Amino acid sequence: MPKAKNNFIPYKAIRFPREEMLRRSREFYQLMDRRRTVRDFSDKPVPLEIIEQIILAASSAPSGANKQPWTFCVVSDPELKRRIREAAEKEEYENYHGRMSEEWLADLEPFGTDWHKPFLETAPYLIVVFKKAYDLADGVKKKNYYVNESVGLATGFLLAAIHNAGLASLTHTPSPMNFLQEILGRPENERPFLLIPVGYPAEDARVPDINRKELGDVMVVYERGREGVRE
Ligand code: IYR
């Protein structure tokens, strides 16, 4: 046995009968398919305990060499939220008034977005996801691997956990967003990755009438002798 495997522990697999696997897969899909990006938030408070569990779920994602190269900053301080909104709106104003191409603006039409970002103050929490370009252990740089992939995976887990808890989220990408590093006083090895307002949706929240692609548009099956054909 390779030396590194000496301290391995047994994997406790979760197993279900075939019928239950199918039922659980369907139910999980049905749950996930109800997730929508929401831009109208209620200001109703959310217990921090729930956010803690959500972040534990996010942080269970796989990562390159298990470096877990992420920090989730949970912001509820109204003054910090105000400063983040102010800085984000300043950049977004420039984006919507010249920095984004005509094609990009046209692609965003259906979503009704503009430079105003009131949700950055309304939502009870802003989760700011930082990626660690490298680790700093007592001032010594340690390498991280596949940082974007790792943090993308953790953020996917995060959005699923938020939805599973009955909360709404918005994956917001102010650009550029280095102001987050400054406002939140993050160390130099951390770079902002995504800004995610979290809370209850407003009672009258509305979302664009858009569709998800069909299975046949996103899945290609390669079985022996019948490449690309779906049952
Ligand atoms: N960052 C801008 C613009 C924007 C871009 C894409 I691509 C979106 O899917 C949504 C918005 C904003 O947050 O408004």
Side-chain angles (χ1 to χ4, degrees):
M1 213 193 302
K3 211 160 126 224
K5 293 197 171 181
N6 287 343
N7 60 353
F8 271 34
I9 53 171
Y11 173 58
K12 292 194 173 57
I14 304 177
R15 286 198 166 275
F16 304 107
R18 185 199 156 105
E19 274 310 301
E20 202 176 336
M21 287 169 70
L22 183 58
R23 184 180 57 76
R24 290 176 62 97
S25 312
R26 277 205 188 102
E27 285 176 4
F28 186 66
Y29 159 58
Q30 285 162 2
L31 171 70
M32 293 306 289
D33 196 37
R34 286 189 62 179
R35 186 203 56 78
R36 292 297 308 263
T37 287
V38 162
R39 290 188 166 77
D40 305 321
F41 285 89
S42 155
D43 61 2
K44 184 178 163 184
V46 171
L48 185 61
E49 236 187 331
I50 297 172
I51 302 296
E52 287 173 352
Q53 296 308 310
I54 286 168
I55 287 175
L56 283 170
S59 197
S60 75
S63 60
N66 191 35
K67 295 284 186 174
Q68 305 166 58
W70 44 65
T71 304
F72 299 92
C73 293
V74 177
V75 182
S76 62
D77 177 347
E79 175 55 18
L80 281 178
K81 288 199 290 181
R82 192 193 59 73
R83 286 176 57 198
I84 290 171
R85 175 182 179 180
E86 198 177 319
E89 286 186 334
K90 199 166 148 214
E91 294 296 352
E92 289 302 313
Y93 184 89
E94 296 303 327
N95 290 336
Y96 282 90
H97 293 86
R99 284 206 296 227
M100 290 194 286
S101 66
E102 285 303 319
E103 182 183 2
W104 194 347
L105 290 172
D107 276 339
L108 289 181
E109 253 317 286
F111 305 93
T113 57
D114 62 24
W115 65 273
H116 296 96
K117 305 297 175 192
F119 48 74
L120 292 175
E121 287 193 90
T122 320
Y125 290 109
L126 305 179
I127 300 182
V128 189
V129 184
F130 284 86
K131 63 177 180 188
K132 292 183 172 176
Y134 51 91
D135 268 331
L136 269 182
D138 302 321
V140 181
K141 282 191 186 184
K142 302 272 280 173
K143 263 190 179 306
N144 286 333
Y145 310 93
Y146 299 99
V147 169
N148 284 315
E149 290 84 348
S150 302
V151 182
L153 288 162
T155 306
F157 278 35
L158 181 79
L159 298 187
I162 290 167
H163 176 63
N164 180 60
L167 294 167
S169 69
L170 164 56
T171 29
H172 180 43
T173 52
S175 173
M177 57 177 165
N178 16 21
F179 64 84
L180 291 166
Q181 201 171 357
E182 200 177 308
I183 293 176
L184 298 176
R186 301 314 302 163
E188 56 136 19
N189 63 319
E190 294 191 12
R191 311 282 146 76
F193 185 76
L194 270 177
L195 170 47
I196 306 174
V198 180
Y200 296 97
E203 289 290 336
D204 59 352
R206 290 166 73 86
V207 293
D209 187 11
I210 50 177
N211 299 308
R212 302 204 202 278
K213 290 182 179 177
E214 303 281 327
L215 185 58
D217 295 328
V218 297
M219 178 170 110
V220 183
V221 180
Y222 294 80
E223 282 181 315
R224 193 157 54 169
R226 39 203 310 273
E227 286 76 18
V229 180
R230 202 154 52 81
E231 291 277 350

